[in-house]
Amino acid sequence: MAKIVLAYSGGLDTSVAIHWFRKKHNLDIIAYCADLGQNADLPAARRRAVSAGAEKVVVKDLRDTFVKDYVWPALKANAVYENGYPLNTAVGRPLIAKGLVDAALECGCEYVAHGCTGKGNDQVRFEATVAALAPQLKVIAPLREWEFKTREEEIDYALANGIDVPVKRDKPYSIDVNLWGASIECGELEDPWREPPRDTHLLTCAPEQAPAKPVEVEIAFAEGVPVKLNGKAMNGVKLIGELNAIAGAHAVGRIDMIENRTVGIKSREVYEAPAAVVLLTAHRILEEMTLSREVNRQKAALSQLYADLIYTGKWFTDLREALDAFIAVTQKYVTGEVRLRLHKGSCTVVGRRSPYSLYDKKLATYGEGDAFDHRAAAGFLTIYNLDIRAQGARRKRYEAKGGK
Ligand code: ARG
């Protein structure tokens, strides 16, 4: 029997897919499950995959790689899609797809499969990654070809076939979680006028339920990478985990937006990304202090490009490599600490410092110890205004002849 490796999440779509594959295509299924910090019950997912008919289940803990090689580069780039989405789902997809490819090559499979729909972004990210890393592999996407039209029909199929799915009929959300955040779609959220019901949120509490007393957090960066939380050195996985808990408890990181999908659909999205929002804010704050004016502006333009690249599945491309090279140079001085106050959903900077700061109090001060040469400013302005003065004089001549 031919074998296929399926990217398995333990959720509704991919559990139904295992059963469907066996029935329709008569393939042996290897369920590949990557741990990106989604806090899923992985032993339960393993049991579910087997109960749905998987031959083998492979579970890989990719959390460290995820943070080091995917999340930190995205953070260094300040990658945020369409002014809101911290790309939590998008930046994990190339890693899961790479794991899928590795598993397929290891077991000599010709096929890989994913549980993405035909109208979403994730199919693009999976298949672009497979194309980049192992173009000889063939991809099957059961959700694009099977008979189920709604999630309700899938739930019915699962219940009828004894697949124990984690979704209840009255809570039909599609949720994707990893360390960098949660993406929530479907159900009542498809009405953009409706406020997300209380039960949609997983990682944050509502601002009105958050403590009345704010909390301060201090993030230390070394060359653009967060290395300490509140003075304690820790690895990225732990730092993001702890920060998610602190910021989530203060209602920081809720995002409700309408975004443009790669296939051209506008989509209402609810995200929760407490640590991502705090770290992206802190990182930008430290860059304001340590990057030159020109580098900061060029970088801001490139961060849009970088966000689009992650969103549209172009992680394994020459462009990403080239942008990473530019960003690496910009990050060499992004070292220092940022203090932020978290309070009922807000995240505000209260202080920053860096051994490589370009801020010079002696030049900036309006008080004691001013080292700025005020007289030199007069000469500077004579030259600076040369062309503006010429334009002013010309306007006078024009108006003198009756021009308006
Ligand atoms: N709209 C987001 C994106 O394109 C989230 C996708 C969420 N995926 C999911 N299976 N729920 O990255």
Side-chain angles (χ1 to χ4, degrees):
M1 217 190 279
K3 276 185 293 189
I4 185 161
V5 189
L6 165 72
Y8 181 68
S9 69
L12 174 67
D13 292 335
T14 49
S15 298
V16 169
I18 293 177
H19 195 277
W20 182 88
F21 261 124
R22 287 207 66 98
K23 219 168 99 183
K24 287 273 148 99
H25 290 277
N26 200 26
L27 289 166
D28 262 357
I29 297 120
I30 299 167
Y32 174 83
C33 195
D35 182 1
L36 264 52
Q38 61 267 46
N39 271 331
D41 184 348
L42 292 173
R46 189 185 276 278
R47 282 197 302 275
R48 190 173 303 132
V50 172
S51 84
E55 216 57 44
K56 197 172 141 192
V57 186
V58 179
V59 179
K60 289 264 190 262
D61 180 356
L62 301 181
R63 288 175 301 165
D64 269 316
T65 315
F66 179 47
V67 172
K68 271 205 209 95
D69 298 341
Y70 295 78
V71 171
W72 287 165
L75 174 66
K76 289 183 199 173
N78 299 324
V80 173
Y81 184 67
E82 294 185 345
N83 297 319
Y85 173 32
L87 296 159
N88 42 282
T89 291
V91 76
R93 295 312 193 200
L95 174 58
I96 299 172
K98 181 178 184 301
L100 193 69
V101 165
D102 292 343
L105 299 181
E106 239 168 69
C107 70
C109 295
E110 220 181 304
Y111 295 96
V112 292
H114 59 70
C116 310
T117 69
K119 57 203 277 190
N121 296 308
D122 289 328
Q123 57 174 350
V124 178
R125 298 166 187 149
F126 269 102
E127 295 188 33
T129 301
V130 174
L133 301 181
Q136 75 279 13
L137 289 176
K138 294 190 208 56
V139 183
I140 306 184
L143 275 82
R144 293 198 298 236
E145 44 176 280
W146 69 20
E147 59 274 26
F148 312 117
K149 290 199 185 57
T150 61
R151 292 177 63 79
E152 286 71 23
E153 284 176 30
E154 285 181 54
I155 296 174
D156 289 341
Y157 179 90
L159 296 177
N161 287 285
I163 311 165
D164 153 43
V165 286
V167 191
K168 299 284 159 289
R169 226 182 290 261
D170 56 336
K171 231 182 138 182
Y173 302 120
S174 166
I175 300 172
D176 178 68
V177 190
N178 63 40
L179 270 169
W180 204 226
S183 303
I184 307 148
E185 298 170 327
C186 299
E188 287 160 71
L189 302 176
E190 288 172 0
D191 176 357
W193 180 248
R194 270 196 91 137
E195 185 176 354
R198 274 176 188 275
D199 66 354
T200 25
H201 298 102
L202 312 164
L203 307 177
T204 57
C205 75
E208 61 273 18
Q209 288 169 336
K213 221 171 130 267
V215 69
E216 259 186 34
V217 290
E218 186 184 305
I219 319 281
F221 289 84
E223 302 195 14
V225 170
V227 288
K228 285 185 193 170
L229 174 60
N230 292 331
K232 259 201 300 177
M234 55 184 87
N235 71 33
V237 171
K238 187 150 192 288
L239 191 145
I240 294 174
E242 290 200 6
L243 193 54
N244 268 332
I246 300 171
H250 285 269
V252 170
R254 281 193 179 185
I255 298 145
D256 177 342
M257 65 188 280
I258 291 189
E259 78 190 23
N260 291 293
R261 287 196 197 160
T262 307
V263 295
I265 298 172
K266 281 200 191 288
S267 166
R268 199 273 184 94
E269 304 280 337
V270 171
Y271 298 113
E272 295 180 278
V277 165
V278 174
L279 293 175
L280 283 160
T281 306
H283 183 259
R284 247 192 324 95
I285 294 288
L286 195 56
E287 284 192 335
E288 282 173 3
M289 178 177 244
T290 53
L291 299 188
S292 73
R293 168 165 53 186
E294 291 81 5
V295 169
N296 207 5
R297 293 198 183 168
Q298 292 305 322
K299 196 167 172 289
L302 292 180
S303 76
Q304 299 281 322
L305 188 61
Y306 206 96
D308 283 352
L309 174 156
I310 294 176
Y311 193 83
T312 56
K314 298 192 175 161
W315 185 263
F316 290 105
T317 59
D318 297 348
L319 177 60
R320 206 256 310 166
E321 238 179 90
L323 290 177
D324 276 347
F326 174 88
I327 292 167
V329 175
T330 67
Q331 297 301 291
K332 67 180 175 190
Y333 299 125
V334 187
T335 293
E337 288 86 33
V338 180
R339 262 188 317 129
L340 305 126
R341 182 172 299 134
L342 314 180
H343 188 221
K344 287 195 175 287
S346 72
C347 167
T348 354
V349 62
V350 286
R352 68 290 259 167
R353 67 182 173 200
S354 167
Y356 305 122
S357 172
L358 290 174
Y359 173 86
D360 184 344
K361 181 157 186 271
K362 291 197 297 302
L363 292 178
T365 184
Y366 286 100
E368 277 297 301
D370 184 2
F372 184 81
D373 182 354
H374 289 252
R375 282 165 185 278
F380 163 73
L381 279 160
T382 306
I383 312 277
Y384 181 82
N385 284 336
L386 263 185
D387 68 324
I388 298 177
R389 204 173 293 118
Q391 291 174 48
R394 181 185 58 185
R395 205 187 59 244
K396 285 253 160 237
R397 292 199 302 277
Y398 180 70
E399 285 168 359
K401 291 201 163 160
K404 285 210 170 48

